[in-house]
């Protein structure tokens, strides 16, 4: 996965052709069920890292 090679956190969203399990297997660090979960997840992640 490109994110890992670049030193970034890999976030996948299981709304396309890949299931959550497939995204995890492909190397996603975080898998969200829908895109609408991303903004609150990102805010929480930023809070945890500060």
């Amino acid at each position: 996965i490109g994110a890992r090679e670049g030193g970034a956190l890999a976030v996948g969203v299981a709304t396309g052709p890949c299931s959550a399990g497939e995204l995890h297997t492909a190397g996603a660090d975080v898998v969200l069920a829908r895109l609408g979960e991303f903004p609150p997840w990102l805010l929480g992640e930023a809070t945890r890292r500060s």
Side-chain angles (χ1 to χ4, degrees):
I1 220 167
R4 288 223 173 142
E5 290 179 14
L9 186 70
V11 179
V13 182
T15 58
C18 297
S19 69
E22 290 171 315
L23 292 170
H24 279 294
T25 299
D29 297 302
V30 175
V31 176
L32 305 174
R34 57 187 189 84
L35 193 54
E37 294 177 0
F38 184 75
W41 172 84
L42 184 60
L43 180 59
E45 187 67 16
T47 300
R48 281 187 291 278
R49 290 177 180 250
S50 62

